[in-house]
């Protein structure tokens, strides 16, 4: 009898949380992005549209539909400035040059093999997944969306985002199946399984031989994933195991939320260099004077986004800087 009562209590609590999600999940008046409502078949998932202005004469702005799961792990139920910022620098050619600069030299120069759009990309703690969706729009051959598995709702939201944008961008079902993958991943754990998933997603070379970069990723992204220093080592374990060692790079975007001292957040980059051989090869700060719109904060300092690109110590990117 006691077990039945506990089960009923659990169901009641879940119903309450879902009702709370419907009632207060998001107020459209507080959002800069266009509110598209909730998914009738996916309780607790909201749908919004974000538009990226393209600073190129004659080019149209690009819109992305994204979904937020109320029960997402961490703070994945919000759209953070760093996610939006990285997506802007992927989609807008002028901003992309500012972010990537020397990393995108012609393939013929300095023995580079890296080209844009990248072949294989992976986002940690995807949440709203704007960077991953932007990479899909930009033409990346394979985009792997990852997040920590807590419940199916998070992954339902990612599936909806992929499906709706694929439809809007005229990407067929077979192609989207070939170019995207969704994987549960807890940083620092079961990395071998994720490596195999990435390897399985790699396309073979034109001559039918196995791609020499299989099991490695050209572009890694972490958007507002380093605010809690407790998880720095775990994230770096995953990133260092996945990154393509010669030409790959890792974009880390973050804001300073004040939960810990700034020096504690930035220890991530010291640890990356000293313990994992990942060095910062480029960085910039992007100001968002309106604050963190995704969570309703108007603090300008908290709104700023810090973007840093890391690469392996022996990569062509680090050699260029050190030469």
């Amino acid at each position: 009898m006691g077990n039945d009562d506990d089960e009923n209590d659990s169901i009641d609590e879940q119903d309450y949380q879902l009702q709370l999600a419907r009632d207060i999940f998001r107020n459209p008046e507080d959002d800069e992005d266009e509110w598209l409502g909730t998914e009738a078949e996916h309780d607790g998932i909201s749908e919004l549209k974000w538009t990226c202005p393209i600073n190129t004469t004659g080019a149209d702005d690009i819109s992305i539909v994204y979904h937020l799961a109320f029960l997402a792990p961490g703070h994945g139920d919000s759209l953070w400035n760093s996610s939006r910022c990285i997506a802007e620098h992927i989609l807008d050619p002028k901003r992309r040059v500012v972010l990537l600069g020397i990393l995108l030299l012609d393939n013929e120069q300095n023995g580079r093999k890296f080209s844009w759009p990248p072949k294989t990309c992976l986002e940690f703690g995807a949440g709203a997944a704007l960077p991953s969706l932007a990479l899909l729009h930009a033409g990346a051959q394979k985009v792997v969306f990852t997040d920590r598995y807590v419940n199916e709702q998070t992954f339902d939201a990612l599936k909806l985002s992929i499906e709706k944008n694929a439809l809007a961008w005229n990407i067929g079902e077979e192609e989207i199946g070939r170019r995207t993958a969704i994987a549960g991943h807890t940083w620092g754990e079961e990395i071998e399984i994720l490596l195999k998933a990435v390897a399985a997603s790699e396309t073979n070379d034109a001559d039918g031989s196995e791609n020499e970069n299989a099991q490695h990723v050209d572009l890694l992204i972490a958007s507002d994933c380093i605010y809690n220093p407790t998880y720095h080592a775990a994230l770096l374990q995953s990133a260092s195991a996945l990154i393509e060692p010669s030409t790959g790079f890792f974009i880390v975007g973050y804001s300073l939320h004040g939960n810990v001292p700034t020096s504690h957040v930035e220890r991530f980059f010291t640890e990356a260099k000293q313990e994992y051989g990942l060095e910062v090869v480029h960085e910039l700060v992007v100001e968002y004077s309106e604050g963190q719109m995704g969570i309703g904060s108007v603090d300008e300092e908290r709104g700023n986004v810090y973007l840093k690109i890391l690469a392996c110590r022996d990569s062509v990117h680090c050699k260029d800087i050190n030469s």
Side-chain angles (χ1 to χ4, degrees), residues 268-283:
F268 177 86
F269 303 101
T270 302
E271 187 173 355
K273 182 176 182 178
Q274 294 178 350
E275 303 295 330
Y276 297 92
L278 295 172
E279 300 188 7
V280 175
V281 295
H282 186 56
E283 58 186 291

Side-chain angles (χ1 to χ4, degrees), residues 82 86 99 124 219-226 235-236 239 249-254 268-269 272 282-284 305-310:
S82 57
I86 294 172
L99 174 62
F124 295 109
L219 173 58
L220 295 168
I221 291 176
S223 170
D224 240 318
C225 291
I226 65 170
L235 177 56
L236 286 166
F249 52 88
F250 180 18
I251 299 177
V252 179
Y254 64 100
F268 177 86
F269 303 101
H282 186 56
E283 58 186 291
L284 70 152
V305 174
Y306 301 82
L307 296 175
K308 296 191 179 183
I309 300 178
L310 290 80

